[in-house]
Amino acid sequence: MPPPNDELVRKRTSADFVFGKVIGEGSFSTVYLAKDVHTSREFAIKVLEKRHIIREKKTEYVTREKKVLQILGSSCKYFVHLYYTFQDTDRLYFVLTYAKNGELLQQINKDGAFSLECTKYYAAELVLALEYLKLKGIVHRDLKPENVLFDENWHILIIDFGSAKILGEDKSSDEESQKRRKYSFVGTAQYVSPEILNDDESTCASDLWALGCIIYQMLTGQMPFRGPSEYLIFQKILKLDYEFPQGFDKVAKDLIEKFLVIAPSSRLGATDQVPYKSIREHEFFREINWDDLGPPPNFSAKCENSSDIVIIPDDLEPGLDEEKASRLHFRMLQPQTPPRKKSEPNRKITDLSQEEIEQRLEQQKSNNSVYHELVEGNLILKQGIVEKRKGIFPRRRMLLLTLGPHLYYVDPVTMTLKGEIPWSDDLKPEAKNFKKFFVHTPNRIYYLEDPDGYALEWCKAIDEVKAYYYPVQQL
Ligand code: ATP
């Protein structure tokens, strides 16, 4: 529902909202549930720290997101609506429709997989949303189940237009941004179309590829292209190397196969004169009434609607400043800040004699043999579970800092080595708060979160190892 006209005219500030809870965090933003103090209406407010945006050179993404949301307006109910934008000295604010019922991804994970009926319904909503995008000349380019949220009535709401492309916009600026995107890919690898990987021009057909992946995932609970590393996933995408499980619905298979086609123009719907007539006419959607999809079907297990439990307390003051932001992070999200571990303040993690190293290696070999193998026999100086964030999709990893130096990360469930943060003189840890820390490397920033709140200890340990292997040259 768009705001009344007089409301549109008046410029908003953060003092018009009570900020109640952090409901999401992206690589570049924190999203708060907030209440308009005048109307009590709830919104999701995406708050971006200007310093962080500038430092990470993401200004273009932010501008793009705002522009696309403005183009989309409020005519299609399947997209979050941008009600207001404003800024203060430190932050930018996007006031958005609040998607009360979480992400499609959470719902798929909760259900294991969707029924055919449920998949058809949400696939149909996605088709209608993509028709609207096509009409507006926009390619989302990062469509995935984390970016499809549910509103209070369980209809989809698509978010995150930072990577979107506006067709017909100045080509040179888009080529520039594509080039940058190639070297700073932050999306989730599994849904990326071959043309984006090949750095060819992306069109609305790139979103049709993602639609094929999402329908596959709704029906199986898994992404079609899986692999232990981004590189191997990309290889699979480029070779169209995926399989359907036994007994997979034949009509759904046919539809997915028509989306997962390497040549964008050969994908179902890509060349429709009336978008997306050929998709609507596919046998998969036979029972769908495109003029009225009707109410959403019931999931076997609807996600706990956490926001129902979270009421914005009445005693909160409107506005957002440094103090309030950290209070919302630390007190409301994690009421108990973990006790700080006592450590020997002056002893460095690298203060080890050769004898100690050998002794500890022996212990490691016998007590921690699986990890000992995975870290190639290097002495583990520090290890702990962290959430490793790629895009908005966190993965649980055992982070292992070893002599060498190495920073390995292992999937603690499958006990497989997932990768290594490459060391160099330029590696730099940065603590954002007690939980979050970044490891900057020349080619990539690793976004990490220690759920126990020892981010500062991680950074200190990494700094000490760096100082040991890469001592600062005194001039
Ligand atoms: P990234 O670049 O890492 O993908 P981002 O900084 O662009 O993320 P978003 O993806 O827009 O941020 O939002 C981060 C999270 O906040 C989302 O995953 C989602 O869970 C939550 N979120 C975003 N918008 C809304 C909304 N309108 N209603 C409810 N939750 C939202």
Side-chain angles (χ1 to χ4, degrees), residues 23-29 31 44 46 80 97-99 103 149 159-160 391-392:
I23 49 173
E25 291 200 289
S27 323
F28 312 109
S29 64
V31 182
K46 186 165 171 171
V80 281
T97 324
Y98 172 39
E103 298 173 4
L149 307 186
I159 60 161
D160 201 358
I392 57 172

Side-chain angles (χ1 to χ4, degrees), residues 104-171:
L104 171 62
L105 180 72
Q106 289 170 328
Q107 195 56 49
I108 297 174
N109 289 343
K110 179 103 179 173
D111 270 30
F114 285 179
S115 67
L116 201 55
E117 183 211 358
C118 190
T119 304
K120 284 180 184 179
Y121 185 88
Y122 285 112
E125 288 205 330
L126 283 164
V127 171
L128 292 178
L130 294 190
E131 282 182 4
Y132 186 73
L133 277 188
K134 172 113 184 167
L135 180 79
K136 294 284 175 183
I138 288 162
V139 191
H140 187 290
R141 292 204 286 200
D142 198 13
L143 199 62
K144 55 189 178 185
E146 297 96 310
N147 285 339
V148 179
L149 307 186
F150 290 112
D151 71 8
E152 56 191 346
N153 298 315
W154 292 93
H155 292 293
I156 61 162
L157 277 175
I158 297 176
I159 60 161
D160 201 358
F161 289 87
S163 307
K165 174 176 168 179
I166 303 168
L167 297 172
E169 232 195 4
D170 176 21
K171 208 156 182 270

Side-chain angles (χ1 to χ4, degrees), residues 17-21 32-36 40-43 98 307-317 328 332:
F17 300 93
V18 174
F19 290 76
K21 188 205 171 195
Y32 295 86
L33 169 61
K35 198 155 77 175
D36 186 322
S40 290
R41 187 164 171 200
E42 286 179 336
F43 291 99
Y98 172 39
S307 49
D308 274 350
I309 314 161
V310 186
I311 301 159
I312 300 177
D314 286 332
D315 57 343
L316 290 180
E317 288 287 317
L328 291 174
M332 295 188 77

Side-chain angles (χ1 to χ4, degrees), residues 28 52-54 56-63 184 186:
F28 312 109
H52 186 42
I53 300 295
I54 293 165
E56 301 295 324
K57 302 188 176 59
K58 298 294 172 196
T59 320
E60 186 200 318
Y61 286 66
V62 179
T63 319
S184 60
V186 288

Side-chain angles (χ1 to χ4, degrees), residues 330-383:
F330 294 121
R331 304 231 177 105
M332 295 188 77
L333 259 189
Q334 270 81 37
Q336 323 90 338
T337 307
R340 314 281 296 140
K341 225 192 239 165
K342 280 200 180 137
S343 58
E344 293 173 61
N346 297 323
R347 188 177 164 123
K348 293 199 175 68
I349 201 164
T350 44
D351 285 347
L352 294 165
S353 65
Q354 193 53 37
E355 205 184 334
E356 273 176 296
I357 293 178
E358 276 156 27
Q359 230 176 36
R360 280 180 51 178
L361 269 175
E362 276 312 308
Q363 279 172 4
Q364 182 176 301
K365 219 185 284 181
S366 48
N367 302 340
N368 208 354
S369 61
V370 186
Y371 283 119
H372 182 75
E373 293 277 309
L374 290 169
V375 301
E376 304 163 295
N378 288 300
L379 181 66
I380 301 171
L381 299 172
K382 183 171 170 64
Q383 72 179 76

Side-chain angles (χ1 to χ4, degrees), residues 242-270:
Y242 74 104
E243 280 167 6
F244 290 97
Q246 271 204 334
F248 194 86
D249 182 80
K250 280 199 180 65
V251 179
K253 180 170 180 275
D254 182 77
L255 178 73
I256 293 165
E257 282 173 342
K258 288 187 163 123
F259 286 135
L260 299 184
V261 174
I262 298 284
S265 59
S266 304
R267 286 175 207 148
L268 186 68

